[in-house]
Amino acid sequence: MRTRNTKNSATAALSYNYEEEGIGHTTRDLLESSAAHIFDLGRRTTEQTFELGDHLSRAADLLADGRFDKWVKMRCGLSARSGRNYMAVFRNLGHVRDELVDLSVGATALFHLSSATTDQITAAIAFAEENGRLQVVDVKTILSGGEEGGDNAEKDDQFWVGGVAGLKVLIAAKIRDGVKAFNEHVVTICKAVEAALSRSRVIKEALAKEIQDIARVARQELESLALFIEPELDYGRNTRPTKFPKKTGWAEVNDTLYTLGGVDGWPKSKDMRDWLALHVLPVLGWAVSKERKPEWPLAVPTAPVSEPAVPAEADSVGDHHDAEPAMPDEVSDDADGPDEAIDRFGAALEEASGGFMTVSREAPRNRKQFAKVPALGDDSIADVELAPAVTR
């Protein structure tokens, strides 16, 4: 393969006369280096598409006076249009090169994506990560649904596009606008926290007025973007989202936003500064980081610093330390559910009866038995003995 490419390179070199084009030896050597790399690339993988665009961009800078189209056709065997497509990929998508390479996006899809806006590129990558692919039709769908400007009637047209293609348009729009809104809300929270920390004393009530409501919104936005809906109805009426896996980064982000959404669950005033500086800001900063793979800022994902108040008698019942703090007008799904109430009642009943009585939702617990239990009489005998008492 190397021999064939080298031969093709030499043949193409003879078809382009550098001297007639007025190109000196120094520029010629640079152009030849780029051409050789282009021939050696072979099959066009995602990484090679970017490399090819890189070499073509270098050549275009050297031939900016209009000679590039002829050179790329005669020297590289590419049409001028193809050459410009590869350069557009390198120049316009370079900031997300690693993500696109990891997703193995094809060259043609990259050509279309190179004309997208920043928000559309973000939506395309999110779509590819969710679906495991990004094809030309997917990019076209995102581009058609991500047009900026125009009147409201034109924007509403996307809600009349049916089928899978129409649904993809709506999903792309939600991802694009939803991620943007979530990031803006989290950044707003972080700025308010930083401002509070810059003062000599952190006033909980004042900070709560600034961020409590927006934290609730951000949490719901996160769940709407990232979680599915459980098929079982909650109490037969309401659906509820699935949960992030415990002790993961996004679970910690979700829990932190939950805690921020209710001042009653915040730490005491003396612990506020450390909680905000060492937990809240690092966790939320990780959530909106623009790095490709930001490092987790904490040693390990931990439970929220502040835990909801639990009656002392509940300490012996199960593990309730993962329950989220209840907000004034929102009830925690974990802390106050019927299952937990049954567990607490069952534990108290078992302790009061010496283990003889208990409540269980699954397999019965081991019960203590009396040393001797008198045998029960025959049902017919019992009926006879009770008869006089009934007639009286």
Side-chain angles (χ1 to χ4, degrees), residues 79-94:
S79 67
R81 180 179 180 180
S82 295
R84 286 191 291 271
N85 283 337
Y86 282 109
M87 288 190 293
V89 170
F90 172 74
R91 292 172 175 175
N92 300 339
L93 300 177

Side-chain angles (χ1 to χ4, degrees), residues 142-222:
I142 291 172
L143 294 180
S144 65
E147 295 287 342
E148 298 290 341
D151 55 28
N152 292 332
E154 292 178 351
K155 292 181 179 179
D156 290 343
D157 286 344
Q158 64 183 1
F159 293 97
W160 285 100
V161 181
V164 176
L167 182 60
K168 287 181 179 179
V169 170
L170 299 181
I171 292 173
K174 178 178 181 178
I175 292 174
R176 181 187 69 246
D177 298 335
V179 170
K180 182 179 179 180
F182 171 76
N183 286 345
E184 289 177 350
H185 290 153
V186 173
V187 169
T188 299
I189 294 172
C190 290
K191 289 181 178 179
V193 171
E194 290 172 350
L197 290 174
S198 66
R199 304 184 183 97
S200 58
R201 179 170 172 264
V202 177
I203 302 176
K204 293 174 61 173
E205 292 75 10
L207 182 59
K209 289 181 179 180
E210 288 190 69
I211 68 173
Q212 184 173 244
D213 292 340
I214 197 172
R216 298 185 188 186
V217 173
R219 176 175 177 256
Q220 292 179 4
E221 288 173 335
L222 174 60

Side-chain angles (χ1 to χ4, degrees), residues 34-320:
S34 293
H37 280 95
I38 291 171
F39 274 101
D40 287 343
L41 286 177
R43 183 176 179 274
R44 304 288 157 72
T45 63
T46 308
E47 178 64 32
Q48 289 169 340
T49 299
F50 277 96
E51 291 180 9
L52 194 151
D54 184 6
H55 291 296
L56 289 175
S57 295
R58 297 179 190 179
D61 291 339
L62 296 173
L63 299 172
D65 53 2
R67 293 176 291 184
F68 173 78
D69 288 357
K70 182 178 180 180
W71 177 84
V72 74
K73 180 178 181 180
M74 300 182 66
R75 183 63 187 84
C76 303
L78 295 172
S79 67
R81 180 179 180 180
S82 295
R84 286 191 291 271
N85 283 337
Y86 282 109
M87 288 190 293
V89 170
F90 172 74
R91 292 172 175 175
N92 300 339
L93 300 177
H95 63 292
V96 289
R97 177 173 177 169
D98 290 340
E99 290 90 330
L100 294 171
V101 169
D102 288 345
L103 294 167
S104 300
V105 180
T108 307
L110 292 174
F111 293 161
H112 288 278
L113 191 61
S114 65
S115 62
T117 65
T118 300
D119 289 341
Q120 289 170 339
I121 293 172
T122 300
I125 292 175
F127 175 87
E129 290 176 342
E130 180 179 354
N131 295 275
R133 61 169 176 76
L134 184 65
Q135 299 177 348
V136 174
V137 64
D138 303 321
V139 177
K140 287 183 176 180
T141 300
I142 291 172
L143 294 180
S144 65
E147 295 287 342
E148 298 290 341
D151 55 28
N152 292 332
E154 292 178 351
K155 292 181 179 179
D156 290 343
D157 286 344
Q158 64 183 1
F159 293 97
W160 285 100
V161 181
V164 176
L167 182 60
K168 287 181 179 179
V169 170
L170 299 181
I171 292 173
K174 178 178 181 178
I175 292 174
R176 181 187 69 246
D177 298 335
V179 170
K180 182 179 179 180
F182 171 76
N183 286 345
E184 289 177 350
H185 290 153
V186 173
V187 169
T188 299
I189 294 172
C190 290
K191 289 181 178 179
V193 171
E194 290 172 350
L197 290 174
S198 66
R199 304 184 183 97
S200 58
R201 179 170 172 264
V202 177
I203 302 176
K204 293 174 61 173
E205 292 75 10
L207 182 59
K209 289 181 179 180
E210 288 190 69
I211 68 173
Q212 184 173 244
D213 292 340
I214 197 172
R216 298 185 188 186
V217 173
R219 176 175 177 256
Q220 292 179 4
E221 288 173 335
L222 174 60
E223 292 185 345
S224 176
L225 287 167
L227 297 179
F228 293 95
I229 298 298
E230 290 184 341
E232 295 83 7
L233 294 180
D234 186 10
Y235 304 117
R237 297 185 300 274
N238 302 317
T239 60
R240 57 185 179 185
T242 57
K243 295 183 180 296
F244 292 103
K246 290 185 177 181
K247 297 184 178 180
T248 62
W250 284 108
E252 191 67 34
V253 173
N254 194 56
D255 290 344
T256 299
L257 289 172
Y258 186 94
T259 304
L260 289 173
V263 68
D264 292 343
W266 292 12
K268 296 181 180 179
S269 297
K270 63 183 181 66
D271 300 323
M272 278 293 297
R273 184 173 294 276
D274 286 345
W275 178 61
L276 293 173
L278 303 179
H279 182 90
V280 173
L281 286 181
V283 169
L284 297 187
W286 179 85
V288 296
S289 173
K290 295 187 180 299
E291 297 179 13
R292 184 183 170 212
K293 292 182 179 180
E295 293 185 4
W296 179 248
L298 307 180
V300 292
T302 59
V305 173
S306 178
E307 298 180 353
V310 179
E313 61 269 19
D315 290 344
S316 61
V317 184
D319 182 9
H320 294 281

